[in-house]
Each structure stands twice: as structure tokens, then as C-alpha cells.
Amino acid sequence: SSMYEKLAIAGGKLLVETLVKIEDGTVVYTKQDESLATHAPMLKKEEGLLDFKLSAWSLDCLIRGFKEWPTAYTYVGGKLLKVYGAKAVSSEKSAQIEDNLATKVMPGCFIVTKKNIYVKTGENLLELLEVQPEGKKRMPAMDFARGQHIETGMNAGNIQE
């Protein structure tokens, strides 16, 4: 959605410039090189399912890319949890957070601190920022964690084999 806004502004300016050039006859037409063109298939809702074996960085990108549609999601306790905001945590900070745990957690498990909720991924931690539980409104991820009594080690869902 952030790229959409940036491209809309840039495209609007380019359109005005191009219309002026068409009108005064100075436009230069360039045919697209069809050999370099690629096809992007339509997104499917199933593609938004989070696989926590992937890296935190990959999941962060997927969540941002799917924010408007089809929405990134997982299941917690058998119920749908849409994820609208998250950020990958650096390797150093991930190691520091995990070193403070009494037990080792596997990819797909929550790590809850006083101020943050994370999910262990295949590489580093993913901090959850904004979620929407099934049948509820969007909310800060920590409000969800407190309301659902999420604890470190609980399964965040969808560990794909």
C-alpha cells in the first residue's frame, strides 16, 4: 500500500508531463521489449498463510505486501488471526531476547515480553505489531496477547511441513 501511494503520485506527475508532450508533438514513443516482459499471476488468499519456518525478513515482506489483500494470516488456538503489522528483528536483538529465555522455543512459537510479542521464525524473531483476531476489530498485538493470555512457548500456528 505504501508503494501504491508513491507510484500514484509519481504516475500522476508523469501523466501530466506526457499529455503536454503529446499535445505539443514532442513526445518520444518507445515500444516495450516483449522479451523482457513477465506475467504476474493473480494472488490467491491461500498465499497469505504464514509459514514460520521462513525468515523473519521474508515474513515481514509478505505481511507488508499482503496488507490490503489477501492479508497475511495464521491460526491461534484453531481461530483465524490476521496479521496487519509486523517487523523483522535484527539477528543481534533476536539473540539477546532468546538468551533471556529459560527454555528454547521452536519456529512458530510465541515469545512474550512485558512490552512486545514475537514469533520465532526459521531465522530471527518477527515482532507482531497489529493483528485482527477472528470476529474482532484490528488491535495492537500486545492487546491480543494479554486478552488471549498468550505465553512464551505457545504455538503461533501454521508450521508447514
Side-chain angles (χ1 to χ4, degrees):
S1 59
S2 64
M3 280 303 292
Y4 176 84
E5 293 168 14
K6 292 172 188 171
L7 291 173
I9 292 167
K13 290 177 183 177
L14 183 59
L15 178 62
V16 171
E17 291 172 18
T18 304
L19 288 173
V20 169
K21 288 179 180 181
I22 290 172
E23 185 175 59
D24 66 20
T26 61
V27 70
V28 177
Y29 296 95
T30 306
K31 185 174 177 161
Q32 175 176 313
D33 183 348
E34 295 296 330
S35 69
L36 298 175
T38 58
H39 174 72
M42 292 290 293
L43 294 175
K44 297 178 183 146
K45 184 175 177 141
E46 302 81 41
E47 293 176 276
L49 181 63
L50 298 173
D51 178 356
F52 294 114
K53 285 186 178 179
L54 297 174
S55 71
W57 181 82
S58 295
L59 293 169
D60 180 349
C61 291
L62 185 136
I63 292 164
R64 285 185 288 116
F66 283 23
K67 187 173 184 176
E68 299 301 323
W69 194 90
T71 310
Y73 65 95
T74 188
Y75 292 91
V76 177
K79 294 193 175 183
L80 180 70
L81 180 69
K82 293 181 180 180
V83 181
Y84 286 97
K87 69 178 179 182
V89 177
S90 70
S91 298
E92 296 79 23
K93 187 173 178 185
S94 290
Q96 181 183 22
I97 293 167
E98 290 189 78
D99 286 347
N100 291 332
L101 298 178
T103 183
K104 183 171 172 65
V105 296
M106 300 301 293
C109 290
F110 288 113
I111 295 173
V112 183
T113 65
K114 289 183 180 182
K115 295 183 179 180
N116 305 91
I117 180 169
Y118 305 94
V119 178
K120 171 75 173 168
T121 70
E123 185 180 323
N124 299 323
L125 299 178
L126 180 70
E127 181 182 355
L128 299 182
L129 303 172
E130 184 181 22
V131 298
Q132 182 177 6
E134 188 173 319
K136 309 264 181 169
K137 293 182 180 181
R138 285 189 193 188
M139 64 180 68
M142 277 307 293
D143 290 353
F144 164 76
R146 288 184 196 102
Q148 295 297 312
H149 306 288
I150 303 295
E151 297 177 5
T152 296
M154 290 177 68
N155 189 345
N158 299 339
I159 301 174
Q160 307 269 319
E161 294 302 326

